[in-house]
Amino acid sequence: TWGDSSSAATSQGMSYETEAWANKKGFMLWYCILVLGLHLVLLAVPFLSTANVWTLTNVLHSAITFLFLHWIKGKPFESFDDDSCALLTQWEQIDDGVQYSLARKFFLTFPICLFLLTTAYAGHDNYHFVVNTSFMLLAVIPKLPQLHEVRLFGINKY
């Protein structure tokens, strides 16, 4: 079900709060509202065009999610259990690495949908398309199953 974690750790009686936040009821709605709020704040800036606002929304979303899901390691909340997640990113901890869980599908499809909206509202010009494609790939490629626990060139290994 939506409020329950489907991870192996939970089924074995160990519930990690590192994965619980992505499976909380209402998280997807909250996430969408947060990104919409960012977009509306950027729309309020008078000197930014609509195309630039959509591109900036996509760039900020992709950069922030890359940082928090794929770069920073360890637990997001202080806990008193072992340090088993110290070398894992948040993405690797969500649902204990089960690849196509509901939370992971959401995090995989959201940047793609945002990219499609961005390219449509940016008028399909080449500059915005290249920037938006680059940042969408930054948000999507690290989520692929082939890159689970992979550190390219040893970057961010420890």
Side-chain angles (χ1 to χ4, degrees):
T1 63
W2 171 236
D4 298 330
S5 174
S6 62
S7 74
T10 303
S11 65
Q12 296 171 0
M14 302 182 315
S15 179
Y16 295 120
E17 71 263 7
T18 55
E19 66 184 52
W21 59 270
N23 290 310
K24 294 283 185 188
K25 187 174 183 178
F27 174 76
M28 291 182 194
L29 178 63
W30 174 83
Y31 191 85
C32 293
I33 290 171
L34 189 67
V35 173
L36 179 64
L38 168 68
H39 182 71
L40 293 175
V41 166
L42 293 173
L43 275 174
V45 178
F47 56 86
L48 291 176
S49 68
T50 303
N52 287 335
V53 168
W54 276 101
T55 299
L56 196 53
T57 302
N58 186 39
V59 166
L60 287 173
H61 174 265
S62 297
I64 290 169
T65 55
F66 178 80
L67 177 69
F68 284 104
L69 289 180
H70 303 292
W71 192 260
I72 297 174
K73 294 186 204 166
K75 299 177 183 183
F77 312 108
E78 187 173 340
S79 65
F80 298 105
D81 58 349
D82 63 353
D83 232 6
S84 60
C85 299
L87 295 178
L88 297 176
T89 64
Q90 285 299 302
W91 179 255
E92 295 161 348
Q93 294 175 48
I94 293 174
D95 294 331
D96 200 36
V98 175
Q99 200 48 240
Y100 294 108
S101 65
L102 184 61
R104 284 177 169 247
K105 286 179 192 176
F106 174 74
F107 281 122
L108 182 62
T109 57
F110 192 88
I112 296 169
C113 292
L114 185 60
F115 166 76
L116 293 173
L117 283 170
T118 301
T119 54
Y121 283 103
H124 302 285
D125 72 71
N126 290 337
Y127 171 74
H128 288 102
F129 182 77
V130 169
V131 171
N132 288 314
T133 302
S134 302
F135 276 91
M136 185 267 303
L137 292 175
L138 176 73
V140 170
I141 288 177
K143 292 175 176 62
L144 298 176
Q146 295 82 358
L147 295 177
H148 185 72
E149 294 188 31
V150 172
R151 308 291 183 260
L152 296 178
F153 311 113
I155 297 172
N156 200 23
K157 187 174 182 178
Y158 301 105

